[in-house]
Amino acid sequence: MANAGVDIGAPIERYDWRKAKLQFDVNTLANYVLFCVFLPRFLERGHGHVTATISLGGLVGTPYEHAYNGSKAAMRMLMDGLRAETRGRGVGFTSVFPATCRGA
């Protein structure tokens, strides 16, 4: 289960690119490191399952969340690419797209 994630939203006028780097490092790269370690083992034994928490931010751009959305969209593409590359080799993939619901 690839579930590493951090969200640091802010208006672009006040945004520090280093926060975006942190979000990509955690939300995308840290999860990719897990894939590089475990996926070859799954393929070697011919079965396994990879699940990744993506977020609706990987599907829809929202204000103040540009870096978060970009990092989650990158995660979605990683999962899609790995799924396509390993099709028919006994490894399943599930991308989860939860949303935050804020009450009134």
Side-chain angles (χ1 to χ4, degrees):
M1 175 71 182
N3 194 39
V6 64
D7 181 7
I8 308 168
I12 192 65
E13 299 92 350
R14 295 192 326 255
Y15 204 78
D16 180 339
W17 66 269
R18 288 171 285 256
K19 292 179 183 176
K21 182 180 180 322
L22 172 64
Q23 288 181 96
F24 275 88
D25 284 351
V26 173
N27 298 354
T28 310
L29 189 56
N31 289 307
Y32 191 60
V33 168
L34 289 175
F35 298 157
C36 288
V37 171
F38 289 104
L39 192 51
R41 294 176 187 182
F42 292 168
L43 293 169
E44 184 177 297
R45 67 182 191 201
H47 71 277
H49 197 93
V50 177
T51 301
T53 303
I54 309 263
S55 169
L56 285 181
L59 297 172
V60 178
T62 55
Y64 313 111
E65 299 292 340
H66 21 84
Y68 176 80
N69 293 336
S71 68
K72 292 301 190 166
M75 207 36 213
R76 178 173 58 109
M77 291 294 100
L78 282 173
M79 287 290 283
D80 288 354
L82 291 169
R83 183 182 295 113
E85 180 178 334
T86 60
R87 184 168 283 124
R89 297 179 63 190
V91 178
F93 290 84
T94 301
S95 296
V96 180
F97 297 89
T100 299
C101 296
R102 294 191 173 105

